[in-house]
Amino acid sequence: MIWGLLLLCVAGAFRAIHAVPLRKTSKIEVKAAPQEEVNVLMFGVIQFSESLNYAFENTEAKIDKLSKTVTTREGALQQLEKQTEEAVEVEKQMKEVIQLLQAQMVNQQAQTMMTKDWLARMEQEEVELKTKVKRMETYINNAFPSSIKELQEKAEEHSSVLKILQHFTEFQKQNIETNDEKLSTLQKMSDDMS
């Protein structure tokens, strides 16, 4: 292609050199261009063809480079699309986990409330039982001084039962505090994910 363009330019240059305007005389004068002008013209044509060749090669290299860049960008775009699809899937899974955590939190809160109510009743019953035991001890001490030993043994049994109930109550309190901490942690996780 470049050589065809070069030949076309050279042919054009020769026509320009040999095309001399005709004078309106009866004689036709043909003057050949001096050799120096032909040389300058040929040098210009050669330089022009070299410039065209350089521009062609440069443009071809740039097109190759652009083609490679486009191919690379297409690969990166496909990778980005894949990552976007994965991110959407992860987001969907996270929403499902959040919903599950929220459901667990609701259940945990309900259990905690039930346990707190039960514990409050147990504490109330413990106080009432202690009061009854003290009244019984007083009544027994006043009414049946002969069987005080038996009554003391029963009172000790009641006291040991009360101690067991106290330990159980403490255990339930700790359990409730642990559940409250878990609920707070779950709620923070849920708030952070929202």
Side-chain angles (χ1 to χ4, degrees):
M1 179 175 162
I2 293 201
W3 291 111
L5 191 58
L6 177 66
L7 287 174
L8 185 66
C9 290
V10 170
F14 278 123
R15 276 193 217 130
I17 293 171
H18 291 292
V20 178
L22 294 175
R23 292 188 184 165
K24 293 190 177 185
T25 60
S26 59
K27 257 180 25 181
I28 298 177
E29 291 181 29
V30 176
K31 282 188 179 179
Q35 183 66 33
E36 192 175 299
E37 287 180 17
V38 171
N39 288 344
V40 167
L41 253 160
M42 286 303 290
F43 181 72
V45 167
I46 290 171
Q47 279 189 330
F48 179 69
S49 68
E50 286 177 355
S51 295
L52 278 177
N53 188 33
Y54 174 76
F56 175 76
E57 289 174 356
N58 220 7
T59 304
E60 193 174 32
K62 286 179 182 177
I63 288 172
D64 285 344
K65 188 176 179 181
L66 281 173
S67 177
K68 289 177 184 174
T69 303
V70 167
T71 304
T72 304
R73 296 282 164 89
E74 284 177 353
L77 187 61
Q78 288 174 352
Q79 185 70 22
L80 189 60
E81 285 176 2
K82 184 178 177 184
Q83 289 174 351
T84 303
E85 289 172 2
E86 289 173 357
V88 166
E89 183 62 29
V90 167
E91 183 182 3
K92 181 182 173 186
Q93 290 174 358
M94 285 177 65
K95 284 181 180 178
E96 290 173 1
V97 168
I98 288 171
Q99 288 175 348
L100 183 66
L101 284 174
Q102 287 173 340
Q104 286 178 351
M105 274 178 31
V106 168
N107 288 340
Q108 197 76 26
Q109 285 174 340
Q111 284 181 346
T112 302
M113 289 302 292
M114 286 171 52
T115 309
K116 279 183 179 178
D117 291 344
W118 181 80
L119 231 121
R121 282 197 310 270
M122 289 297 289
E123 287 175 347
Q124 183 65 33
E125 288 177 13
E126 182 184 353
V127 169
E128 289 172 3
L129 192 57
K130 280 183 180 179
T131 306
K132 284 181 183 178
V133 168
K134 283 185 182 177
R135 282 185 195 157
M136 284 295 272
E137 285 177 355
T138 305
Y139 175 73
I140 289 171
N141 286 337
N142 292 334
F144 305 105
S146 60
S147 59
I148 289 178
K149 193 170 188 179
E150 289 177 24
L151 292 172
Q152 281 179 338
E153 289 172 1
K154 288 200 178 214
E156 286 174 7
E157 285 177 26
H158 286 299
S159 179
S160 65
V161 168
L162 283 174
K163 285 181 183 176
I164 290 170
L165 281 172
Q166 280 180 325
H167 287 302
F168 185 71
T169 304
E170 284 299 318
F171 174 75
Q172 288 298 327
K173 278 185 181 178
Q174 289 175 354
N175 203 4
I176 285 176
E177 289 172 4
T178 304
N179 285 340
D180 281 342
E181 288 175 10
K182 286 180 182 177
L183 278 172
S184 297
T185 305
L186 286 172
Q187 204 156 12
K188 283 181 185 176
M189 286 174 59
S190 176
D191 291 344
D192 290 342
M193 288 182 178
S194 298

